Protein backbone atom coordinates (compact mmCIF):
# COMPACT_ATOMS: atom_id res chain seq x y z
CA UNK A 1 0.00 0.00 0.00
CA UNK A 2 1.50 3.43 -0.86
CA UNK A 3 1.78 5.99 1.91
CA UNK A 4 -0.94 8.68 1.62
CA UNK A 5 1.62 11.49 1.31
CA UNK A 6 3.58 9.63 -1.35
CA UNK A 7 0.33 9.10 -3.23
CA UNK A 8 -0.54 12.78 -3.16
CA UNK A 9 3.00 13.73 -4.16
CA UNK A 10 2.92 11.33 -7.11
CA UNK A 11 -0.45 12.70 -8.14
CA UNK A 12 0.89 16.27 -8.06
CA UNK A 13 3.92 15.28 -10.11
CA UNK A 14 1.75 13.46 -12.62
CA UNK A 15 -0.42 16.52 -13.05
CA UNK A 16 2.60 18.62 -13.90
CA UNK A 17 3.89 18.50 -17.45
CA UNK A 18 7.45 19.81 -17.47
CA UNK A 19 8.55 22.25 -20.14
CA UNK A 20 9.97 20.85 -23.32
CA UNK A 21 13.31 22.68 -22.89
CA UNK A 22 14.12 20.23 -20.07
CA UNK A 23 14.88 17.61 -22.72
CA UNK A 24 17.19 19.79 -24.84
CA UNK A 25 20.32 18.73 -22.94
CA UNK A 26 19.22 15.09 -23.05
CA UNK A 27 18.93 15.08 -26.84
CA UNK A 28 22.56 14.04 -27.20
CA UNK A 29 22.20 10.75 -25.29
CA UNK A 30 20.96 8.02 -27.65
CA UNK A 31 17.61 6.55 -26.64
CA UNK A 32 14.86 4.35 -27.98
CA UNK A 33 12.33 6.81 -29.31
CA UNK A 34 8.80 6.40 -30.61
CA UNK A 35 7.07 9.23 -32.46
CA UNK A 36 3.34 9.02 -32.90
CA UNK A 37 0.47 11.22 -34.02
CA UNK A 38 -3.30 11.25 -34.46
CA UNK A 39 -5.31 8.68 -36.42
CA UNK A 40 -5.58 9.27 -40.18
CA UNK A 41 -2.60 11.63 -40.09
CA UNK A 42 -2.75 14.75 -42.25
CA UNK A 43 0.15 16.75 -43.70
CA UNK A 44 1.02 18.36 -40.37
CA UNK A 45 0.79 15.12 -38.39
CA UNK A 46 2.96 13.15 -40.81
CA UNK A 47 5.26 16.09 -41.63
CA UNK A 48 6.02 16.88 -37.99
CA UNK A 49 6.52 13.19 -37.14
CA UNK A 50 8.93 12.57 -40.02
CA UNK A 51 10.64 15.96 -39.60
CA UNK A 52 11.37 15.08 -35.97
CA UNK A 53 12.38 11.54 -37.04
CA UNK A 54 15.05 12.84 -39.45
CA UNK A 55 16.26 15.33 -36.84
CA UNK A 56 16.55 12.86 -33.94
CA UNK A 57 18.21 10.15 -36.02
CA UNK A 58 21.22 12.44 -36.43
CA UNK A 59 21.96 12.09 -32.68
CA UNK A 60 22.14 8.29 -32.90
CA UNK A 61 18.71 7.67 -31.35
CA UNK A 62 16.84 4.58 -32.45
CA UNK A 63 13.65 6.19 -33.77
CA UNK A 64 10.38 4.59 -34.95
CA UNK A 65 7.35 6.50 -36.23
CA UNK A 66 4.01 4.79 -35.59
CA UNK A 67 0.75 5.97 -37.13
CA UNK A 68 -2.39 4.75 -35.33
CA UNK A 69 -4.06 4.01 -38.69
CA UNK A 70 -3.29 4.11 -42.39
CA UNK A 71 -2.75 7.42 -44.13
CA UNK A 72 -3.43 9.13 -47.47
CA UNK A 73 -1.35 8.16 -50.51
CA UNK A 74 -0.46 11.81 -51.06
CA UNK A 75 1.83 11.61 -48.00
CA UNK A 76 3.82 8.66 -49.32
CA UNK A 77 6.43 10.82 -51.04
CA UNK A 78 7.70 12.07 -47.67
CA UNK A 79 11.21 10.84 -46.93
CA UNK A 80 10.97 8.11 -44.28
CA UNK A 81 7.29 7.29 -44.91
CA UNK A 82 8.13 3.73 -46.00
CA UNK A 83 9.51 3.05 -42.51
CA UNK A 84 6.38 4.28 -40.68
CA UNK A 85 4.49 1.50 -38.87
CA UNK A 86 0.70 1.35 -39.28
CA UNK A 87 -0.56 0.32 -35.82
CA UNK A 88 -3.69 -1.37 -37.15
CA UNK A 89 -1.75 -3.48 -39.64
CA UNK A 90 1.42 -4.06 -37.63
CA UNK A 91 0.10 -4.23 -34.06
CA UNK A 92 2.51 -6.77 -32.48
CA UNK A 93 5.59 -5.07 -33.96
CA UNK A 94 4.35 -1.62 -32.94
CA UNK A 95 3.46 -2.80 -29.41
CA UNK A 96 6.97 -4.17 -28.92
CA UNK A 97 8.49 -0.83 -29.96
CA UNK A 98 6.11 1.13 -27.68
CA UNK A 99 6.86 -1.14 -24.72
CA UNK A 100 10.62 -0.71 -25.01
CA UNK A 101 10.65 3.04 -25.76
CA UNK A 102 12.37 5.50 -23.42
CA UNK A 103 10.64 8.49 -25.01
CA UNK A 104 7.30 8.64 -26.81
CA UNK A 105 6.74 11.87 -28.70
CA UNK A 106 3.05 12.65 -29.21
CA UNK A 107 2.64 15.11 -32.06
CA UNK A 108 -0.35 17.07 -33.36
CA UNK A 109 -2.84 15.66 -30.84
CA UNK A 110 -3.30 16.13 -27.12
CA UNK A 111 -5.81 13.55 -25.91
CA UNK A 112 -4.77 9.92 -26.08
CA UNK A 113 -8.10 8.82 -27.55
CA UNK A 114 -7.06 10.50 -30.83
CA UNK A 115 -4.81 7.45 -31.35
CA UNK A 116 -7.79 5.09 -31.47
CA UNK A 117 -6.77 1.45 -30.81
CA UNK A 118 -3.32 2.54 -29.69
CA UNK A 119 -4.71 4.53 -26.77
CA UNK A 120 -4.45 1.84 -24.11
CA UNK A 121 -0.92 0.71 -25.00
CA UNK A 122 0.24 4.31 -25.15
CA UNK A 123 -1.37 5.13 -21.80
CA UNK A 124 0.28 2.15 -20.08
CA UNK A 125 3.74 2.60 -21.61
CA UNK A 126 6.70 3.00 -19.26
CA UNK A 127 8.49 5.47 -21.53
CA UNK A 128 8.08 9.18 -20.95
CA UNK A 129 5.40 10.74 -23.14
CA UNK A 130 6.39 14.10 -24.61
CA UNK A 131 3.72 16.37 -26.07
CA UNK A 132 4.21 18.77 -28.97
CA UNK A 133 0.86 20.14 -30.06
CA UNK A 134 -1.22 23.20 -30.94
CA UNK A 135 -4.79 22.06 -30.11
CA UNK A 136 -6.90 23.35 -27.24
CA UNK A 137 -7.37 21.64 -23.86
CA UNK A 138 -4.46 19.16 -23.59
CA UNK A 139 -4.56 16.19 -21.20
CA UNK A 140 -1.51 17.55 -19.35
CA UNK A 141 -1.56 14.80 -16.73
CA UNK A 142 -0.69 12.27 -19.44
CA UNK A 143 2.62 13.85 -20.44
CA UNK A 144 5.96 14.03 -18.61
CA UNK A 145 7.28 16.85 -20.79
CA UNK A 146 5.77 18.95 -23.46
CA UNK A 147 4.64 22.08 -25.09
CA UNK A 148 1.09 23.06 -25.97
CA UNK A 149 0.63 26.34 -27.81
CA UNK A 150 -2.62 27.13 -29.57
CA UNK A 151 -1.12 30.23 -31.17
CA UNK A 152 1.18 28.11 -33.33
CA UNK A 153 0.23 27.57 -36.96
CA UNK A 154 1.18 23.91 -36.97
CA UNK A 155 3.00 21.20 -35.09
CA UNK A 156 5.67 21.46 -37.78
CA UNK A 157 6.36 25.03 -36.69
CA UNK A 158 6.74 23.75 -33.12
CA UNK A 159 9.20 21.03 -34.17
CA UNK A 160 11.13 23.71 -36.03
CA UNK A 161 11.15 25.84 -32.83
CA UNK A 162 12.47 22.86 -30.88
CA UNK A 163 15.29 22.37 -33.35
CA UNK A 164 16.26 26.06 -33.31
CA UNK A 165 15.78 26.63 -29.57
CA UNK A 166 17.86 23.58 -28.70
CA UNK A 167 20.69 25.06 -30.79
CA UNK A 168 20.58 22.48 -33.58
CA UNK A 169 19.98 24.66 -36.61
CA UNK A 170 22.76 22.77 -38.43
CA UNK A 171 20.70 19.56 -38.32
CA UNK A 172 18.02 20.87 -40.68
CA UNK A 173 18.78 18.85 -43.79
CA UNK A 174 16.69 18.56 -46.94
CA UNK A 175 14.48 15.79 -45.49
CA UNK A 176 13.73 17.74 -42.31
CA UNK A 177 13.00 20.86 -44.38
CA UNK A 178 10.62 19.11 -46.82
CA UNK A 179 8.63 17.38 -44.07
CA UNK A 180 8.27 20.52 -41.94
CA UNK A 181 7.34 22.66 -44.93
CA UNK A 182 4.63 20.17 -45.96
CA UNK A 183 2.97 20.44 -42.56
CA UNK A 184 3.17 24.18 -42.07
CA UNK A 185 1.91 24.78 -45.60
CA UNK A 186 -1.08 22.42 -45.35
CA UNK A 187 -2.11 23.50 -41.83
CA UNK A 188 -2.09 27.18 -42.83
CA UNK A 189 -4.10 26.56 -46.02
CA UNK A 190 -1.04 27.52 -48.07
CA UNK A 191 -0.26 30.45 -45.76
CA UNK A 192 -3.67 32.07 -45.99
CA UNK A 193 -5.17 31.51 -42.52
CA UNK A 194 -4.85 34.33 -39.97
CA UNK A 195 -2.61 32.13 -37.78
CA UNK A 196 0.15 32.52 -40.40
CA UNK A 197 2.47 34.83 -38.48
CA UNK A 198 5.63 36.59 -39.57
CA UNK A 199 7.51 33.83 -37.70
CA UNK A 200 5.97 31.25 -40.05
CA UNK A 201 7.27 33.15 -43.08
CA UNK A 202 10.68 33.50 -41.41
CA UNK A 203 10.73 29.75 -40.83
CA UNK A 204 9.96 29.10 -44.49
CA UNK A 205 12.64 31.57 -45.57
CA UNK A 206 15.14 29.75 -43.41
CA UNK A 207 14.07 26.37 -44.85
CA UNK A 208 14.58 27.84 -48.34
CA UNK A 209 18.10 28.85 -47.27
CA UNK A 210 18.69 25.20 -46.38
CA UNK A 211 17.81 24.13 -49.93
CA UNK A 212 14.06 23.44 -49.69
CA UNK A 213 12.40 22.96 -53.09
CA UNK A 214 8.91 24.13 -52.16
CA UNK A 215 7.30 23.64 -55.60
CA UNK A 216 8.19 19.97 -55.52
CA UNK A 217 6.38 19.60 -52.18
CA UNK A 218 3.23 21.34 -53.54
CA UNK A 219 3.26 19.10 -56.60
CA UNK A 220 3.68 15.93 -54.54
CA UNK A 221 0.83 16.91 -52.23
CA UNK A 222 -1.71 18.41 -54.59
CA UNK A 223 -1.04 17.10 -58.09
CA UNK A 224 -1.11 13.35 -57.56
CA UNK A 225 -4.81 12.53 -57.36
CA UNK A 226 -6.65 10.09 -59.58
CA UNK A 227 -9.47 11.07 -61.93
CA UNK A 228 -12.13 9.34 -59.81
CA UNK A 229 -11.60 11.88 -57.02
CA UNK A 230 -12.54 14.74 -59.35
CA UNK A 231 -15.65 12.92 -60.55
CA UNK A 232 -16.53 12.40 -56.88
CA UNK A 233 -16.03 16.09 -56.06
CA UNK A 234 -18.19 17.01 -59.05
CA UNK A 235 -20.95 14.76 -57.72
CA UNK A 236 -20.63 16.13 -54.19
CA UNK A 237 -20.81 19.78 -55.27
CA UNK A 238 -23.72 19.06 -57.59
CA UNK A 239 -25.80 16.80 -55.35
CA UNK A 240 -24.65 16.93 -51.74
CA UNK A 241 -24.12 20.60 -50.99
CA UNK A 242 -26.71 22.61 -49.10
CA UNK A 243 -26.33 26.35 -48.61
CA UNK A 244 -28.14 28.19 -45.81
CA UNK A 245 -27.60 31.84 -46.76
CA UNK A 246 -29.60 33.08 -43.81
CA UNK A 247 -27.02 31.49 -41.53
CA UNK A 248 -23.93 32.10 -43.71
CA UNK A 249 -23.47 28.35 -43.56
CA UNK A 250 -22.93 25.48 -46.00
CA UNK A 251 -23.20 21.75 -45.36
CA UNK A 252 -22.03 18.76 -47.36
CA UNK A 253 -23.38 15.36 -46.30
CA UNK A 254 -21.81 12.42 -48.10
CA UNK A 255 -23.56 9.04 -47.97
CA UNK A 256 -21.48 5.88 -47.96
CA UNK A 257 -22.82 4.87 -51.36
CA UNK A 258 -20.92 7.82 -52.93
CA UNK A 259 -17.65 6.64 -51.38
CA UNK A 260 -18.19 3.17 -52.80
CA UNK A 261 -19.36 4.34 -56.23
CA UNK A 262 -16.31 6.58 -56.77
CA UNK A 263 -13.78 4.24 -55.13
CA UNK A 264 -12.90 6.80 -52.49
CA UNK A 265 -9.90 5.99 -50.28
CA UNK A 266 -8.23 7.66 -47.28
CA UNK A 267 -7.20 11.19 -48.22
CA UNK A 268 -9.57 11.66 -51.16
CA UNK A 269 -11.97 13.76 -49.08
CA UNK A 270 -9.19 15.92 -47.61
CA UNK A 271 -9.82 19.62 -48.18
CA UNK A 272 -13.36 19.17 -49.48
CA UNK A 273 -14.81 20.99 -46.47
CA UNK A 274 -13.02 24.16 -47.61
CA UNK A 275 -14.78 24.39 -50.97
CA UNK A 276 -17.99 26.06 -49.72
CA UNK A 277 -15.95 28.68 -47.86
CA UNK A 278 -15.22 30.23 -51.26
CA UNK A 279 -18.91 31.04 -51.70
CA UNK A 280 -19.49 34.71 -51.02
CA UNK A 281 -20.73 35.27 -47.47
CA UNK A 282 -20.18 31.75 -46.18
CA UNK A 283 -18.69 31.79 -42.70
CA UNK A 284 -19.20 28.21 -41.55
CA UNK A 285 -18.66 25.11 -43.66
CA UNK A 286 -19.30 21.57 -42.53
CA UNK A 287 -18.90 18.14 -44.07
CA UNK A 288 -20.33 14.93 -42.66
CA UNK A 289 -19.03 11.74 -44.24
CA UNK A 290 -20.63 8.39 -43.64
CA UNK A 291 -17.59 6.15 -43.17
CA UNK A 292 -19.67 3.12 -42.23
CA UNK A 293 -18.33 2.56 -38.70
CA UNK A 294 -18.97 6.23 -37.85
CA UNK A 295 -20.03 9.58 -39.27
CA UNK A 296 -16.96 11.84 -39.46
CA UNK A 297 -17.52 15.57 -39.28
CA UNK A 298 -15.23 18.45 -40.22
CA UNK A 299 -15.92 22.11 -39.56
CA UNK A 300 -14.21 25.20 -40.92
CA UNK A 301 -15.03 28.81 -40.18
CA UNK A 302 -13.93 32.28 -41.09
CA UNK A 303 -13.55 35.08 -38.59
CA UNK A 304 -15.14 34.97 -35.15
CA UNK A 305 -17.12 31.73 -35.18
CA UNK A 306 -15.42 29.19 -32.87
CA UNK A 307 -15.75 25.71 -34.38
CA UNK A 308 -13.64 24.11 -31.64
CA UNK A 309 -16.37 24.89 -29.10
CA UNK A 310 -19.05 23.98 -31.64
CA UNK A 311 -17.44 20.56 -32.33
CA UNK A 312 -17.02 19.86 -28.60
CA UNK A 313 -20.57 20.86 -27.75
CA UNK A 314 -22.47 19.00 -30.46
CA UNK A 315 -20.18 16.36 -32.00
CA UNK A 316 -17.83 14.96 -29.27
CA UNK A 317 -14.92 16.56 -31.06
CA UNK A 318 -12.54 19.47 -30.90
CA UNK A 319 -9.65 21.08 -32.75
CA UNK A 320 -8.85 24.74 -33.36
CA UNK A 321 -10.85 27.96 -33.41
CA UNK A 322 -11.34 27.95 -37.19
CA UNK A 323 -10.84 24.22 -37.97
CA UNK A 324 -12.23 21.36 -35.96
CA UNK A 325 -13.77 17.92 -36.27
CA UNK A 326 -15.91 15.39 -34.49
CA UNK A 327 -17.78 12.18 -35.01
CA UNK A 328 -21.06 10.46 -34.30
CA UNK A 329 -22.44 6.93 -34.24
CA UNK A 330 -25.93 8.13 -35.29
CA UNK A 331 -27.17 7.59 -38.88
CA UNK A 332 -26.21 10.22 -41.45
CA UNK A 333 -29.68 11.79 -41.64
CA UNK A 334 -29.71 12.29 -37.86
CA UNK A 335 -26.25 13.84 -37.77
CA UNK A 336 -27.32 16.14 -40.60
CA UNK A 337 -30.47 17.12 -38.66
CA UNK A 338 -28.39 17.67 -35.53
CA UNK A 339 -26.07 19.98 -37.44
CA UNK A 340 -28.96 22.01 -38.83
CA UNK A 341 -30.43 22.30 -35.34
CA UNK A 342 -27.04 23.37 -33.93
CA UNK A 343 -26.68 25.92 -36.73
CA UNK A 344 -30.07 27.39 -35.84
CA UNK A 345 -29.12 27.60 -32.17
CA UNK A 346 -26.08 29.66 -33.20
CA UNK A 347 -27.96 31.96 -35.56
CA UNK A 348 -26.99 35.21 -33.83
CA UNK A 349 -23.30 34.54 -34.14
CA UNK A 350 -23.53 33.10 -37.63
CA UNK A 351 -25.62 35.82 -39.19
CA UNK A 352 -23.44 38.64 -37.83
CA UNK A 353 -20.23 38.02 -39.69
CA UNK A 354 -17.23 40.13 -38.85
CA UNK A 355 -13.73 39.60 -40.18
P1 LIG B 1 -10.17 17.62 -39.86
O1 LIG B 1 -11.48 18.27 -40.06
O2 LIG B 1 -9.17 18.03 -40.90
O3 LIG B 1 -10.25 16.14 -39.63
O4 LIG B 1 -9.60 18.21 -38.48
C1 LIG B 1 -9.53 19.57 -38.21
C2 LIG B 1 -8.87 19.76 -36.86
O5 LIG B 1 -9.73 19.24 -35.83
C3 LIG B 1 -7.58 19.02 -36.72
O6 LIG B 1 -6.69 19.83 -36.01
C4 LIG B 1 -7.92 17.77 -35.98
O7 LIG B 1 -6.86 17.33 -35.20
C5 LIG B 1 -9.11 18.20 -35.13
N1 LIG B 1 -10.09 17.11 -35.03
C6 LIG B 1 -10.69 16.46 -36.05
N2 LIG B 1 -11.54 15.52 -35.60
C7 LIG B 1 -11.48 15.56 -34.26
C8 LIG B 1 -12.12 14.82 -33.20
O8 LIG B 1 -12.93 13.93 -33.44
N3 LIG B 1 -11.79 15.17 -31.92
C9 LIG B 1 -10.90 16.16 -31.64
N4 LIG B 1 -10.64 16.44 -30.36
N5 LIG B 1 -10.28 16.87 -32.60
C10 LIG B 1 -10.55 16.58 -33.89
MN1 LIG C 1 -1.80 20.39 -36.91
Amino acid sequence: MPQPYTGIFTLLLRRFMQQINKIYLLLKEPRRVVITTHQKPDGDAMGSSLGLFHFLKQFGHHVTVISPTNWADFLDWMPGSKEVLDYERQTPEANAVIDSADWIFCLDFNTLNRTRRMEERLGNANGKRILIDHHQEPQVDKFAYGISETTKSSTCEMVYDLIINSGNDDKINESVAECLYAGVMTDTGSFRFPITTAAVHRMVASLKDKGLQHSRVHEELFDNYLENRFRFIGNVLQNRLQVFYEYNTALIAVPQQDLVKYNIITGDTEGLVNYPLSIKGIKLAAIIIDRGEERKCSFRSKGGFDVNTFARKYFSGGGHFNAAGGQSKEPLEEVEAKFIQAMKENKDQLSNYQF
Side-chain angles (χ1 to χ4, degrees):
M1 281 284 284
Q3 296 297 312
Y5 290 118
T6 322
I8 289 164
F9 188 58
T10 315
L11 200 69
L12 280 174
L13 264 187
R14 277 222 204 107
R15 295 197 144 271
F16 185 70
M17 179 174 82
Q18 298 193 62
Q19 288 181 4
I20 192 99
N21 59 10
K22 295 275 185 345
I23 69 161
Y24 290 174
L25 283 176
L26 308 174
L27 284 173
K28 297 196 171 62
E29 300 163 18
R31 283 178 165 73
R32 279 161 304 183
V33 177
V34 161
I35 301 172
T36 191
T37 186
H38 59 77
Q39 60 143 327
K40 302 279 178 190
D42 57 7
D44 189 35
M46 195 58 107
S48 57
S49 298
L50 286 171
L52 185 65
F53 168 81
H54 290 296
F55 168 67
L56 289 178
K57 278 209 318 186
Q58 296 176 59
F59 294 95
H61 298 293
H62 184 273
V63 193
T64 310
V65 178
I66 306 175
S67 167
T69 63
N70 69 341
W71 55 89
D73 290 352
F74 64 72
L75 298 174
D76 274 342
W77 62 272
M78 278 192 194
S81 68
K82 302 280 174 297
E83 294 165 59
V84 177
L85 298 183
D86 171 348
Y87 189 79
E88 288 185 341
R89 284 183 38 235
Q90 293 157 288
T91 310
E93 194 182 343
N95 278 341
V97 183
I98 294 171
D99 291 348
S100 64
D102 304 306
W103 279 353
I104 303 174
F105 281 90
C106 298
L107 304 190
D108 204 36
F109 71 99
N110 61 24
T111 55
L112 297 186
N113 64 3
R114 297 277 288 134
T115 63
R116 252 197 199 189
R117 285 177 208 150
M118 230 173 100
E119 178 181 4
E120 196 181 332
R121 203 72 177 209
L122 211 56
N124 292 329
N126 289 322
K128 292 203 182 325
R129 286 182 296 269
I130 304 170
L131 175 76
I132 305 178
D133 178 64
H134 63 140
H135 295 90
Q136 312 209 4
E137 301 182 40
Q139 267 178 330
V140 281
D141 59 319
K142 301 283 186 207
F143 302 96
Y145 302 97
I147 180 154
S148 162
E149 278 189 40
T150 55
T151 56
K152 289 289 172 183
S153 65
S154 55
T155 305
C156 280
E157 185 187 354
M158 302 176 80
V159 169
Y160 176 80
D161 290 348
L162 179 147
I163 296 173
I164 301 299
N165 296 339
S166 62
N168 290 297
D169 182 54
D170 59 314
K171 292 202 163 40
I172 300 179
N173 55 28
E174 212 175 313
S175 296
V176 173
E178 282 188 346
C179 293
L180 295 186
Y181 180 77
V184 72
M185 185 264 286
T186 50
D187 253 29
T188 56
S190 302
F191 310 104
R192 65 187 284 208
F193 300 149
I195 202 140
T196 314
T197 58
V200 168
H201 288 291
R202 272 188 221 108
M203 163 186 169
V204 175
S206 137
L207 297 180
K208 286 293 293 174
D209 285 340
K210 303 272 185 192
L212 168 74
Q213 289 181 276
H214 69 278
S215 293
R216 197 179 88 80
V217 176
H218 282 257
E219 222 172 285
E220 295 282 12
L221 284 169
F222 299 128
D223 302 340
N224 264 320
Y225 289 109
L226 302 179
E227 180 187 333
N228 66 313
R229 178 177 184 256
F230 286 88
R231 305 285 175 199
F232 167 73
I233 292 173
N235 161 68
V236 162
L237 297 181
Q238 178 73 23
N239 301 311
R240 309 296 181 202
L241 171 69
Q242 302 171 63
V243 185
F244 306 91
Y245 286 105
E246 214 186 320
Y247 298 87
N248 295 328
T249 294
L251 167 66
I252 296 172
V254 184
Q256 207 183 3
Q257 80 222 35
D258 285 7
L259 304 180
V260 175
K261 181 176 173 194
Y262 291 93
N263 242 329
I264 292 308
I265 54 170
T266 301
D268 279 345
T269 53
E270 183 87 18
L272 207 49
V273 63
N274 293 308
Y275 280 60
L277 282 182
S278 321
I279 301 171
K280 190 172 181 177
I282 295 304
K283 179 185 181 187
L284 170 64
I287 188 166
I288 309 167
I289 301 171
D290 188 351
R291 292 204 190 283
E293 75 275 17
E294 66 178 17
R295 264 48 64 206
K296 185 78 191 80
C297 312
S298 287
F299 308 106
R300 298 291 185 273
S301 68
K302 281 184 182 170
F305 189 76
D306 176 7
V307 285
N308 169 53
T309 304
F310 184 84
R312 272 175 208 280
K313 185 168 173 192
Y314 301 101
F315 297 97
S316 323
H320 309 285
F321 194 91
N322 292 125
Q327 71 280 307
S328 170
K329 295 285 181 203
E330 311 286 310
L332 183 64
E333 298 70 33
E334 284 178 35
V335 187
E336 211 177 320
K338 188 170 184 182
F339 174 81
I340 292 171
Q341 180 58 32
M343 172 187 81
K344 290 182 174 167
E345 282 177 28
N346 286 272
K347 182 166 195 254
D348 286 351
Q349 255 190 300
L350 287 167
S351 39
N352 296 315
Y353 177 74
Q354 281 181 349
F355 185 74

